Amino acid sequence: MKEVNKLTEKEKEILIKQIAQDLKETLSENRYLHCISTMKTARKLANQYKQEEQTVMLTALAHDIAKEMTQEEFVAYSKENDVKLEEIDLYAPAILHAKIGADIVKKKYGFTKEMQEAIYYHTTGRINMSMLDKIVFLADKSEERRKGTDADKLRELIEKEGLEKAILWDIDYYSIPRTIQKQRVIHPYSIEARNDIITKL
Ligand SMILES: [Fe+2]
Ligand SMILES: [Fe+2]
């Protein structure tokens, strides 16, 4: 299989359609529509921030490819495919679909390392987030199917304050508080991402 960065524009267009079809067949309708909507939001950000549109669209589209697997399936997949999981990952369920998803898109669609990383870190962020990381992270959380005052606030921040401040707000005022409410562990990547952004702002 060819790596995505070696595909022509036409081939990337075909791949977008193929992935959309695969997601339609394997995910619930709601999740599928979320993936499509995330892709559309990411496309706008890609244009605004002068990123290669199709790479961003492909990554955003596939970001939740593993979201509906069960905990048992995650563990089985990680063993069969040598995906390294940390002890803490098992207590932070959201990270599992991101790590496993990043492996699936490489094997199934030839995603590049950069694209895999954006999926790997899409729920938590990380130190030194790439532009692709930032766009996928925010498109996921701000796509137009997300309703409520938090989503509205995030969309406003993206527009008026820029990507970094929007990510920081999401981690500090949405993701971490919700994780605390659910009495789940806060993944260290989230803390690293926010500390990194704060020291750079
Ligand atoms: Fe996700
Ligand atoms: Fe998502």
Side-chain angles (χ1 to χ4, degrees):
M1 181 201 313
K2 267 202 229 170
E3 216 182 16
V4 165
N5 57 356
K6 301 197 177 71
L7 299 180
T8 63
E9 244 179 68
K10 183 75 198 156
E11 286 171 326
K12 284 185 204 168
E13 208 181 295
I14 292 168
L15 185 57
I16 289 173
K17 290 198 180 123
Q18 187 200 326
I19 295 174
Q21 188 57 37
D22 290 348
L23 295 176
K24 195 172 188 178
E25 284 165 13
T26 51
L27 297 178
S28 62
E29 191 187 8
N30 209 28
R31 182 89 51 204
Y32 165 72
L33 294 174
H34 161 66
C35 293
I36 297 289
S37 187
T38 300
M39 175 179 75
K40 289 180 181 164
T41 301
R43 179 190 210 165
K44 283 186 208 146
L45 291 170
N47 290 323
Q48 196 182 337
Y49 288 91
K50 313 238 177 305
Q51 301 298 301
E52 205 268 310
E53 192 183 87
Q54 288 175 311
T55 302
V56 174
M57 287 170 72
L58 281 162
T59 313
L61 175 64
H63 80 283
D64 270 346
I65 193 165
K67 181 75 180 181
E68 293 182 353
M69 287 168 67
T70 63
Q71 182 92 354
E72 291 72 38
E73 287 170 333
F74 287 137
V75 173
Y77 184 96
S78 70
K79 280 184 188 143
E80 280 161 27
N81 294 274
D82 247 332
V83 177
K84 200 174 151 281
L85 296 178
E86 293 163 57
E87 179 73 25
I88 195 161
D89 295 344
L90 301 172
Y91 298 93
I95 194 73
L96 290 173
H97 82 278
K99 289 192 173 183
I100 303 289
D103 192 73
I104 293 174
V105 292
K106 179 189 177 187
K107 289 174 179 151
K108 202 167 174 191
Y109 305 120
F111 276 25
T112 62
K113 184 161 177 279
E114 187 203 15
M115 295 163 83
Q116 284 184 68
E117 285 175 348
I119 293 180
Y120 194 97
Y121 294 104
H122 84 266
T123 61
T124 54
R126 62 161 159 168
I127 293 174
N128 282 326
M129 289 175 80
S130 68
M131 187 52 88
L132 183 60
D133 291 352
K134 291 174 189 172
I135 290 175
V136 173
F137 180 100
L138 287 172
D140 176 28
K141 294 159 181 72
S142 70
E143 54 96 351
E144 38 182 60
R145 291 171 53 83
R146 300 256 193 204
K147 305 288 180 215
T149 49
D150 290 319
D152 289 339
K153 171 80 179 166
L154 187 62
R155 285 187 279 265
E156 186 193 321
L157 283 169
I158 293 169
E159 206 182 301
K160 295 190 179 147
E161 303 283 342
L163 304 184
E164 288 74 20
K165 282 192 181 160
I167 292 169
L168 184 61
W169 182 86
D170 178 83
I171 294 173
D172 282 358
Y173 294 98
Y174 186 75
S175 296
I176 289 183
R178 262 184 28 143
T179 307
I180 291 171
Q181 272 167 16
K182 290 182 189 162
Q183 292 191 304
R184 290 194 177 147
V185 302
I186 298 167
H187 201 283
Y189 296 162
S190 298
I191 313 240
E192 287 168 4
R194 73 172 293 278
N195 289 351
D196 182 56
I197 292 170
I198 287 177
T199 54
K200 285 174 183 162
L201 275 175

